[in-house]
Amino acid sequence: MSRKYLTQAWCVLLVTGISLSCMAQKTIPSYHQEIESLMSKMSVEDKIGQLIQENGDQGHDGSIKAGQVGSVLNVVNPQAIHRMQQLAVDSSELGIPLIFARDVIHGFKTIFPIPLGMAASFNPDLVQQSAAIAAEEAASVGVRWTFSPMVDVSRDPRWGRVAETFGEDPYLHARMGTAMVRGYQGEKLSDKTSIAACAKHFAAYGAAIGGRDYNTVELPENVLRDVYLPPFKACVDAGIASFMPSFNEINGVPSSGSAFLLDQVLQKEWGFNGVVVSDWESVIQLQTHGFTDSEKESAYQSFMAGTHMEMNSKAYANKLRELINEGRISMEKLDDAVRRILRMKFELGLFDDPYTHTADFPPMLNDHNKALAKAVATESIVLLKNEKNILPLTGFKGKIAVVGPLADSPHDQLGTWIFDGDKADAITPLTSLRDLFGSKNVNYAAGMAFSRSLDKDLFPEAIEAAKNSDVILVFIGEESILSGESHCRADLGLPGIQEEFIRQLAETGKPMVAVVMAGRPLTFESVFDTFDAVLYTWHLGTMAGPAIADIVSGKVSPSGKLPITFPRHVGQVPIYYSYKNSGKPASDATWERLYEIPPEAPQLSIGNTNHYLDYGFEPWFPFGFGLSYSTFEYSDINIQDPEVSMGDSIVISAHLKNTGSVKATEVVQLYVRDLVGSRTRPVRELKGFQRITLEAGERKKVVFRIHTSELGFHNLDMEYVTEPGAFKAWIGGSSGADLGIDFSVN
Ligand code: BGC
């Protein structure tokens, strides 16, 4: 069939197809007729070709012309994309367009905070807008598919990819992940500014033993279903176009070959009708795992489990034909995979117009995009400490020492996974602080060339700058390369000789504010007392400088909250707010302090509780924590009906008052505990949050409505149930909130 004929046929049928494409998944699959008509023209080789994803723009021309490529990743040059697309559309027999994919993780050219930072904003609306901007910028060069959002719950800051997550909580992950899906995919995929999203890495990638990337995961099914899967399910419900299995094995089965995950849960239970693309060579890695003994068996296991497209490696290209000939893989199974991929291409409008008209798009990094990036960055900043209200430096007239390895490090502030971001576009804190306070009032000296430096040669210059100033802003933390894929750390402390640098600065006796940039929670309790204030700023992206300047100057009051628990010491990991009580819960009264135990104390088994002798039982900072330049008071917690009927909604409220002297925003959080369960339940689970902005002195009632079905869990029979009985809810400004109320579900 000639390409011209196909184009005409699609144009006619597209009229119906467009409206169908707007519909949510689980309705009648869209483009049915167009797909079937095309499929009837495809040979087995053509079909297998659609399952192949190649990398880069070199060396694939022949296979594209032969119809042996369905997708290409990592090409972002619009001319190269156009050239390859032209080969597919004009020179292949069937003219099926390619889909170009890229890891657009927290922005394309305009870089937003790392996802862990964005999670701290607790602002899904802004996160959605950031994804829409990322989509528009990526689509403007021809990229129509991103491998994002990553919705891997992780409770291990050692894991480098924690930077790419939304932290430790399933509910926060679901809210942020679905916001990104909506942002990327827009109103409908066929809009030129929309790109297909991909939920990754399915599943439990963040639960790698020891926080070491790609490592084994051992997880009971109920924990998998209660903690790690819900954000993925939420993405399916939000209409996500694709999924990516994780590199890790779970309980002995690598995800790319897991029929349980990909077939049972994703397809059968959740009714996902989109595309599953493998992770980078994860199909052939089934053999490395020791799950298969050959490339052929890897292709078989992965395809049969439900991985439709293979990224980069060649097991499908090399072996699927043979497996089909042998009858081990049915045509029905092959057709199902091909249909999904074609449907995604139809829904993206690629058959309608496979080319990108870059000139039709607004320029990248435009003022709107940068303003949004600044807004997200500002809301992502968490104030951990502010003694004697040293911050903000509103109207500050003295001299400011700006020191530290990250004050002027445009590359590092962008964070991990910024393939297309450019440090030349990044505005650093030094630049913004000079703009704000005047260059003559800023004494800058890095003091350390980079965060891991072991060289003290630059110390004296920074100490001198500090001595000549009235306040020190010290920019410490981690370079971007210390987090991200396979960049895990066993030590969560400040790298290099930063602690020594801080101590020497402290000796000047000047007030000192730490601005910490990092891809994970860091532990620096031993120098914490040297700071009067601490701002935790993650890697904030292109607009880190202006955002930090707005917070430092008090133009905006900090409103970020920690999306992950901060341990005091790495040995406490995993430590998270929604732990189980145990039969011997620790308290301050029962904590036996290491150095208080007398020598040769006899062992007792009475009165013991579950703490560490040296680090107790509490984290450094709890999940949900974050200060403001104002103060907030919570009161009058109330429940509409303390005896809720199963199937009804629960309406819980509290009053929030801004008791400080400046306008500020508070993230009001709702936590619930199911007090008794046929399986024990966590001591608290986040069930809602709202960002509330109040003028000084203003008071507002904040109302949450949740359904009893949101209080369920997987019981011993692996059924999702909400059990009747006693519950408790808390409303407050962190997971440590103490304003609670009892209720029951009957
Ligand atoms: C990562 C994925 C990413 C893929 C393609 C893999 O190494 O695990 O998250 O999407 O590479 O770049």
Side-chain angles (χ1 to χ4, degrees):
M1 183 191 223
S2 81
R3 181 188 63 83
K4 270 199 195 89
Y5 170 79
L6 278 171
T7 310
Q8 279 162 11
W10 290 326
C11 286
V12 173
L13 292 165
L14 216 68
V15 179
T16 48
I18 282 171
S19 58
L20 280 172
S21 75
C22 313
M23 296 165 72
Q25 305 209 4
K26 291 194 216 148
T27 53
I28 301 166
S30 55
Y31 296 99
H32 177 73
Q33 279 169 292
E34 295 90 328
I35 292 167
E36 293 315 309
S37 146
L38 180 53
M39 296 267 297
S40 68
K41 314 292 183 302
M42 294 172 81
S43 65
V44 171
E45 281 69 25
D46 291 329
K47 290 177 179 175
I48 293 173
Q50 288 303 304
L51 316 184
I52 312 300
Q53 185 175 62
E54 294 285 12
N55 179 50
D57 60 0
Q58 299 300 309
H60 310 307
D61 290 8
S63 38
I64 293 172
K65 282 198 241 175
Q68 288 165 4
V69 182
S71 171
V72 176
L73 83 156
N74 292 336
V75 183
V76 290
N77 176 313
Q79 287 79 37
I81 289 181
H82 189 90
R83 188 187 65 77
M84 293 171 96
Q85 191 67 295
Q86 211 161 24
L87 282 182
V89 173
D90 287 345
S91 305
S92 77
E93 172 71 13
L94 293 172
I96 300 174
L98 297 165
I99 172 168
F100 290 87
R102 181 66 154 176
D103 290 282
V104 180
I105 306 300
H106 51 112
F108 186 69
K109 276 280 180 245
T110 306
I111 301 297
F112 297 89
I114 53 168
L116 189 61
M118 287 201 272
S121 75
F122 280 71
N123 190 339
D125 293 341
L126 274 191
V127 168
Q128 178 174 338
Q129 291 177 55
S130 79
I133 286 172
E136 182 185 88
E137 290 190 348
S140 76
V141 302
V143 169
R144 297 299 304 282
W145 189 9
T146 178
F147 303 125
S148 169
M150 170 159 157
V151 284
D152 292 313
V153 168
S154 185
R155 293 161 168 192
D156 199 327
R158 293 171 297 183
W159 189 45
R161 300 197 82 169
V162 76
E164 292 173 62
T165 75
F166 297 113
E168 75 181 43
D169 186 65
Y171 177 80
L172 182 58
H173 253 98
R175 294 283 304 273
M176 293 302 187
T178 52
M180 290 199 96
V181 174
R182 287 192 295 274
Y184 289 135
Q185 299 197 165
E187 291 271 299
K188 52 187 191 307
L189 277 179
S190 59
D191 284 344
K192 287 290 183 188
T193 52
S194 296
I195 62 176
C198 180
K200 71 184 188 187
H201 306 82
F202 194 56
Y205 186 32
I209 291 175
R212 197 147 53 95
D213 209 359
Y214 319 127
N215 216 3
T216 306
V217 172
E218 300 284 350
L219 212 54
E221 190 179 333
N222 65 306
V223 180
L224 180 71
R225 286 183 181 273
D226 286 341
V227 177
Y228 293 89
L229 296 191
F232 287 98
K233 170 68 163 61
C235 287
V236 173
D237 293 341
I240 198 162
S242 66
F243 257 64
M244 182 190 286
S246 52
F247 282 131
N248 56 282
E249 63 159 76
I250 306 178
N251 304 334
V253 181
S255 301
S256 293
S258 172
F260 167 70
L261 279 178
L262 301 177
D263 189 47
Q264 172 62 31
V265 175
L266 184 59
Q267 319 291 350
K268 297 204 169 81
E269 294 180 23
W270 298 351
F272 176 68
N273 63 22
V275 174
V276 176
V277 57
S278 79
D279 201 346
W280 183 268
E281 303 196 341
S282 66
V283 174
I284 56 169
Q285 286 165 14
L286 293 184
Q287 193 178 347
T288 322
H289 276 282
F291 189 67
T292 62
D293 61 3
S294 62
E295 185 188 40
K296 182 173 168 184
E297 285 315 299
S298 297
Y300 176 73
Q301 290 293 346
S302 182
F303 192 75
M304 290 305 284
T307 306
H308 307 120
M309 184 181 272
E310 182 179 8
M311 185 189 288
N312 199 54
S313 48
K314 302 285 171 292
Y316 285 10
N318 294 341
K319 301 295 174 189
L320 279 193
R321 174 84 239 200
E322 207 174 310
L323 287 159
I324 288 162
N325 288 350
E326 290 169 2
R328 290 179 70 197
I329 290 179
S330 67
M331 278 309 291
E332 198 190 345
K333 188 95 184 154
L334 176 65
D335 285 351
D336 173 62
V338 177
R339 273 189 196 102
R340 290 165 183 264
I341 293 161
L342 293 178
R343 191 181 314 126
M344 181 159 83
K345 293 182 176 184
F346 271 108
E347 287 180 341
L348 282 162
L350 290 172
F351 284 96
D352 185 24
D353 179 1
Y355 299 109
T356 302
H357 309 281
T358 302
D360 294 348
F361 287 80
M364 295 193 260
L365 275 164
N366 60 48
D367 288 348
H368 165 76
N369 297 5
K370 286 198 275 192
L372 206 277
K374 179 181 165 186
V376 187
T378 309
E379 293 193 4
S380 302
I381 296 172
V382 184
L383 178 65
L384 292 182
K385 173 178 182 178
N386 194 16
E387 269 175 14
K388 295 183 233 124
N389 290 334
I390 181 149
L391 285 178
L393 303 180
T394 314
F396 192 75
K397 290 285 177 271
K399 302 266 186 233
I400 301 172
V402 173
V403 299
L406 289 154
D408 193 31
S409 185
H411 171 81
D412 292 310
Q413 73 183 44
L414 296 181
T416 187
W417 283 105
I418 42 105
F419 284 166
D420 303 291
D422 191 340
K423 71 174 186 175
D425 301 317
I427 306 175
T428 68
L430 176 64
T431 304
S432 298
L433 291 165
R434 278 181 172 152
D435 285 351
L436 188 71
F437 294 103
S439 290
K440 63 177 189 328
N441 296 320
V442 171
N443 293 322
Y444 170 68
M448 289 175 66
F450 58 107
S451 74
R452 285 165 295 157
S453 173
L454 301 172
D455 183 352
K456 294 180 203 161
D457 286 359
L458 301 177
F459 277 17
E461 218 190 338
I463 305 300
E464 202 48 32
K467 283 184 181 156
N468 294 332
S469 304
D470 304 292
V471 63
I472 309 168
L473 297 187
V474 56
F475 289 78
I476 52 173
E478 275 183 337
E479 302 145 69
S480 63
I481 195 61
L482 299 189
S483 56
E485 184 170 352
S486 125
H487 285 68
C488 305
R489 295 185 59 200
D491 176 3
L492 297 176
L494 289 166
I497 46 174
Q498 291 185 74
E499 291 209 356
E500 193 176 339
F501 179 51
I502 291 161
R503 286 203 181 89
Q504 290 199 19
L505 287 169
E507 279 171 19
T508 64
K510 307 282 172 157
M512 182 154 62
V513 176
V515 182
V516 189
M517 293 190 189
R520 55 162 67 80
L522 294 178
T523 51
F524 51 102
E525 205 179 10
S526 59
V527 288
F528 198 65
D529 283 347
T530 65
F531 305 122
D532 298 280
V534 176
L535 290 166
Y536 212 85
T537 71
W538 323 101
H539 293 132
L540 289 178
T542 307
M543 299 299 280
I548 290 170
D550 271 8
I551 293 286
V552 167
S553 69
K555 193 168 168 202
V556 184
S557 178
S559 59
K561 299 280 187 174
L562 297 178
I564 185 164
T565 303
F566 272 44
R568 295 173 58 204
H569 186 277
V570 67
Q572 292 174 292
V573 172
I575 182 166
Y576 46 93
Y577 83 90
S578 64
Y579 62 90
K580 303 287 194 74
N581 204 37
S582 86
K584 290 169 174 279
S587 69
D588 255 334
T590 61
W591 173 18
E592 262 190 302
R593 273 92 172 157
L594 182 70
Y595 292 103
E596 290 172 9
I597 306 170
E600 297 196 9
Q603 185 192 337
L604 291 176
S605 61
I606 303 162
N608 290 340
T609 61
N610 66 353
H611 55 256
Y612 294 106
L613 296 176
D614 42 8
Y615 282 89
F617 55 98
E618 282 181 321
W620 192 19
F621 294 104
F623 174 88
F625 175 84
L627 301 171
S628 159
Y629 292 155
S630 199
T631 45
F632 292 98
E633 188 182 275
Y634 287 85
S635 65
D636 305 317
I637 191 163
N638 184 48
I639 187 157
Q640 206 174 56
D641 179 2
E643 291 180 8
V644 186
S645 300
M646 191 70 78
D648 277 0
S649 286
I650 305 152
V651 183
I652 307 174
S653 63
H655 277 89
L656 176 72
K657 184 172 182 195
N658 180 343
T659 48
S661 54
V662 291
K663 176 179 169 181
T665 301
E666 167 76 329
V667 178
V668 179
Q669 301 154 48
L670 169 72
Y671 295 89
V672 176
R673 178 174 180 184
D674 179 351
L675 295 177
V676 181
S678 58
R679 248 193 229 277
T680 59
R681 309 299 306 128
V683 293
R684 283 182 190 201
E685 291 177 282
L686 183 69
K687 295 292 174 189
F689 57 81
Q690 295 177 39
R691 287 179 61 87
I692 305 289
T693 303
L694 297 178
E695 296 292 339
E698 195 183 345
R699 187 170 190 263
K700 190 174 175 185
K701 184 174 175 183
V702 184
V703 184
F704 289 95
R705 177 184 290 269
I706 53 169
H707 193 264
T708 54
S709 62
E710 291 171 67
L711 302 177
F713 62 94
H714 287 85
N715 68 12
L716 294 174
D717 298 322
M718 215 51 73
E719 297 156 341
Y720 181 81
V721 289
T722 299
E723 292 182 344
F727 290 78
K728 183 161 183 165
W730 294 262
I731 292 180
S734 83
S735 57
D738 52 16
L739 186 67
I741 191 162
D742 295 312
F743 67 97
S744 66
V745 174
N746 308 302

